[in-house]
Amino acid sequence: MNFLSRKTVDMAYAIQNSARYRQIKRFFYNLLENNNYRFKRYLDFFMIFLIFSSVVILIREVKSPVNDIWLYFNDYIISFIFLIEYLLRLWIYSDNSKSIIDQYETDAFLKRDFKLLKAVHTIIITKLEYIRSFQAIIDLLAIMPFFHQLRLLRLFILFRVFKLFRYMKSLQYFISVLATKKFELLTLLMFISVIMSISAILIYVMEANNPDSQINTLFEAFYWSLVTISTVGYGDFAPATDGGRAVAMLIILGGIGVLAFSTSIIVTAFTERLDEIKESRTLSDISRLKHFYLICGYGEVAQQVASKLHRSGQNVVVMDGDQERITRAREHDLIAFHADPGAEESYKRLRVDFDTQVVSILSLQENDVQNVFTALTIRSINKQIDIVSLLHKNQNRKKLYLAGVSEVVYAQELIGLMAKEISGKQVAFEAIHLLRSEDVGAFVEEVLIDQKITERIDKVSQLNVKAFRLILIGVYQEETEKTIFNPESEFPLNQGDILIVIGEQALIREFKLGLHLKRAL
């Protein structure tokens, strides 16, 4: 292998092993191509603004003088930004270093000299696939106004409007839906072409030799045919002979049929893709959430948990393989995603950052086997995410922990512990009864005791929770990392402790504000 080939291969391996390079390329790929990337929409809004700015400046320039600064902005700045975008899309379209490495490893396996020219040929062919694509051609034409000295090239500003298809998801959905009916639309187009050709020739034959006719050329005949079959009917051309009027009646009837046929094709296409469009919209909504709880399964327990989280202002996403439960979750104003919680593909379709966006995953399915499979699947994707699972049979506790569950919730065990803690404590029983009553609007809230509060309040009696009609369940002590239920009035409060209270949401809010007033409660 000669010097140039060796250096090329070494550079390709260095690029592949460069974490910084891969990170930068992945960032630009997400920014330009990944619709679920939360920063992409800001780029889309910016590019849409540039497109409309170009068109407005072009229209203004037709009859009115435009400031040189705006012309410079339109001809150079916007064109340069579009050029950078074009080059970035060309860069991320394929991996040149991977092509070189694949060719090198193939030649090494076959025990032959590395064919650098063949690798370069593969790279060029791959890049040409992008360059010849429709969107890339539009991007290239949008850069042409950079050469504004040629007056004709300024008209290429209008091609920037076609770039809207890249940045507006609604247009992308519309095009993708129509693409599923290519055969039907092509058949309709051929039918319209045949009808137009026949009617144009007939009207030309009927009208051309009549001195009173307005249709004197074949072009005018085709124009009249198109206007008539589209049911527009401008009225600038009208047949003067009986034969021409007969042709007009036939083509009008044909136009009504064409309109009905095209409408039925579009409606059918949207009906068939409606579920897919809804799912795409749901995934887009999920990707925009900064923080949310992911609940796997939507049984009775999950409904109660989701309801409490949702009413406390937390974002909740429900995943379930049962469509009826997904429908029920959406009726409860929750974001619901129809997918199997035990399938790895389900989490890949979410396209979210589990480290930053997902607060916790709650596996609340109706049997331990499903919860085990869900935990195993999640752990294969992310090793650090917090997983809380519902335990139905105590003998399966170890299996859940082995599957990677962070915390297990066993209903019977919780009932026993609660009964032990609150036995003989009337206030605690009142709190539980209040939580069970869904209609009273009771909320459980955590209130942090910060330094400002401890300057005036150092014990429970000074909180005066009764004045706000609240119930104090307990106090979590930061120092001991324990929760003291139904604390005594002289129980000390320290900075970092957390109060657990129950009551009306508005009253809890007033209680929080009251704690931070300058005067003591």
Side-chain angles (χ1 to χ4, degrees):
M1 187 165 56
N2 57 40
F3 177 79
L4 178 60
S5 298
R6 189 185 312 109
K7 287 298 182 182
T8 302
V9 173
D10 292 342
M11 185 180 298
Y13 274 109
I15 292 174
Q16 282 292 314
N17 293 326
S18 173
R20 180 64 175 170
Y21 175 84
R22 310 309 299 179
Q23 183 181 4
I24 294 173
K25 190 166 186 177
R26 184 165 56 252
F27 167 76
F28 282 110
Y29 174 82
N30 290 330
L31 190 64
L32 295 171
E33 298 292 346
N34 186 3
N35 289 326
N36 293 319
Y37 188 56
R38 52 182 169 177
F39 296 114
K40 184 180 185 299
R41 59 174 176 167
Y42 299 112
L43 174 67
D44 292 346
F45 290 147
F46 176 68
M47 301 301 281
I48 291 172
F49 167 76
L50 294 181
I51 292 169
F52 281 113
S53 299
S54 295
V55 176
V56 169
I57 293 172
L58 177 65
I59 295 173
R60 176 71 178 175
E61 189 183 3
V62 173
K63 289 190 175 181
S64 303
V66 179
N67 190 293
D68 291 340
I69 296 177
W70 288 110
L71 290 177
Y72 184 86
F73 173 73
N74 194 25
D75 296 333
Y76 291 104
I77 304 298
I78 296 180
S79 297
F80 182 73
I81 293 174
F82 287 162
L83 175 62
I84 296 298
E85 181 207 13
Y86 179 82
L87 295 176
L88 286 174
R89 291 186 184 277
L90 183 64
W91 173 48
I92 66 175
Y93 181 75
S94 61
D95 194 335
N96 297 342
S97 59
K98 186 175 184 303
S99 299
I100 294 173
I101 292 173
D102 289 344
Q103 184 63 45
Y104 170 74
E105 291 179 350
T106 300
D107 292 338
F109 179 77
L110 297 176
K111 297 181 179 180
R112 64 189 184 191
D113 292 338
F114 171 57
K115 298 179 180 179
L116 177 59
L117 292 179
K118 188 174 181 179
V120 173
H121 178 264
T122 302
I123 293 172
I124 293 174
I125 293 298
T126 305
K127 295 299 184 183
L128 284 176
E129 289 179 359
Y130 171 75
I131 294 173
R132 292 181 295 183
S133 65
F134 175 76
Q135 289 187 328
I137 293 174
I138 293 298
D139 291 342
L140 188 61
L141 293 176
I143 302 170
M144 288 297 104
F146 186 82
F147 307 98
H148 64 283
Q149 290 82 359
L150 298 176
R151 184 69 183 178
L152 180 63
L153 293 181
R154 293 190 61 77
L155 297 178
F156 281 91
I157 290 177
L158 295 176
F159 282 95
R160 292 177 176 176
V161 177
F162 290 100
K163 288 173 68 66
L164 292 175
F165 286 95
R166 186 189 291 279
Y167 305 115
M168 299 181 68
K169 291 183 180 179
S170 298
L171 293 177
Q172 293 176 8
Y173 287 148
F174 184 76
I175 296 299
S176 64
V177 168
L178 293 183
T180 62
K181 297 292 181 181
K182 288 188 292 186
F183 176 76
E184 291 84 348
L185 292 173
L186 182 60
T187 303
L188 177 62
L189 180 62
M190 293 177 62
F191 175 74
I192 294 174
S193 301
V194 171
I195 295 296
M196 279 185 54
S197 300
I198 294 175
S199 61
I201 294 172
L202 284 175
I203 201 71
Y204 178 71
V205 171
M206 297 290 183
E207 300 286 321
N209 294 324
N210 190 322
D212 298 328
S213 175
Q214 298 175 334
I215 302 175
N216 298 311
T217 65
L218 190 59
F219 175 78
E220 292 175 345
F222 270 99
Y223 170 76
W224 171 86
S225 179
L226 176 61
V227 169
T228 305
I229 199 172
S230 63
T231 69
V232 175
Y234 290 121
D236 49 352
F237 291 99
T241 64
D242 292 339
R245 294 189 181 97
V247 173
M249 288 188 290
L250 292 175
I251 195 173
I252 288 172
L253 294 175
I256 296 174
V258 167
L259 183 62
F261 186 34
S262 58
T263 302
S264 65
I265 291 175
I266 295 175
V267 171
T268 302
F270 273 96
T271 302
E272 293 175 352
R273 296 282 299 276
L274 187 60
D275 292 338
E276 185 178 339
I277 293 174
K278 287 182 178 180
E279 179 181 307
S280 179
R281 180 64 180 174
T282 300
L283 292 175
S284 178
D285 292 339
I286 295 173
S287 66
R288 286 197 292 266
L289 296 176
K290 292 183 178 180
H291 305 287
F292 65 89
Y293 288 87
L294 178 60
I295 297 181
C296 299
Y298 199 63
E300 294 182 1
V301 175
Q303 291 180 35
Q304 297 297 323
V305 173
S307 176
K308 294 294 183 182
L309 290 172
H310 183 62
R311 286 189 298 170
S312 64
Q314 301 292 336
N315 295 318
V316 177
V317 175
V318 175
M319 180 191 294
D320 200 303
D322 190 335
Q323 184 60 53
E324 291 184 2
R325 292 182 177 179
I326 292 296
T327 303
R328 191 182 308 122
R330 289 171 179 166
E331 291 174 352
H332 296 161
D333 296 328
L334 299 174
I335 300 176
F337 177 48
H338 183 218
D340 180 11
E344 185 176 350
E345 183 64 26
S346 302
Y347 301 94
K348 291 181 178 179
R349 286 162 59 193
L350 280 177
R351 294 182 181 178
V352 297
D353 189 341
F354 285 91
D355 293 325
T356 59
Q357 290 182 262
V358 182
V359 178
S360 180
I361 296 180
L362 311 179
S363 185
L364 307 178
Q365 298 172 93
E366 296 182 337
N367 64 70
D368 294 330
V369 175
Q370 291 178 329
N371 291 328
V372 167
F373 273 108
T374 298
L376 288 171
T377 302
I378 295 170
R379 280 290 174 249
S380 67
I381 299 172
N382 189 288
K383 304 296 184 184
Q384 306 299 326
I385 188 71
D386 182 55
I387 303 175
V388 179
S389 177
L390 186 64
L391 176 64
H392 295 276
K393 296 181 180 180
N394 196 35
Q395 58 266 33
N396 294 325
R397 182 188 297 269
K398 186 176 180 180
K399 297 176 183 177
L400 284 169
Y401 280 122
L402 290 174
V405 172
S406 308
E407 186 175 350
V408 170
V409 178
Y410 187 36
Q412 297 180 17
E413 188 176 63
L414 285 177
I415 293 172
L417 288 174
M418 185 65 72
K420 180 180 177 181
E421 287 287 344
I422 66 175
S423 178
K425 300 177 182 178
Q426 184 178 358
V427 174
F429 275 116
E430 290 179 13
I432 293 176
H433 177 70
L434 191 60
L435 288 175
R436 291 181 66 252
S437 304
E438 293 289 338
D439 296 333
V440 299
F443 286 84
V444 178
E445 189 72 31
E446 296 179 354
V447 181
L448 176 67
I449 301 297
D450 56 22
Q451 183 179 1
K452 186 177 180 181
I453 295 175
T454 55
E455 290 175 356
R456 307 180 317 277
I457 298 173
D458 57 7
K459 57 184 177 180
V460 170
S461 61
Q462 295 175 332
L463 294 173
N464 198 17
V465 293
K466 292 183 178 180
F468 295 91
R469 299 198 298 276
L470 303 179
I471 297 175
L472 177 63
I473 296 179
V475 178
Y476 173 80
Q477 291 185 306
E478 183 183 36
E479 184 178 355
T480 62
E481 296 185 351
K482 292 183 179 180
T483 300
I484 308 302
F485 288 95
N486 197 18
E488 300 293 337
S489 59
E490 298 300 318
F491 186 83
L493 298 175
N494 300 306
Q495 181 180 346
D497 291 351
I498 298 176
L499 307 177
I500 305 172
V501 297
I502 301 177
E504 295 279 349
Q505 193 170 28
L507 296 177
I508 294 176
R509 187 161 48 247
E510 291 182 13
F511 175 67
K512 287 183 177 180
L513 293 174
L515 288 177
H516 290 84
L517 291 176
K518 292 182 179 180
R519 59 182 179 83
L521 293 175

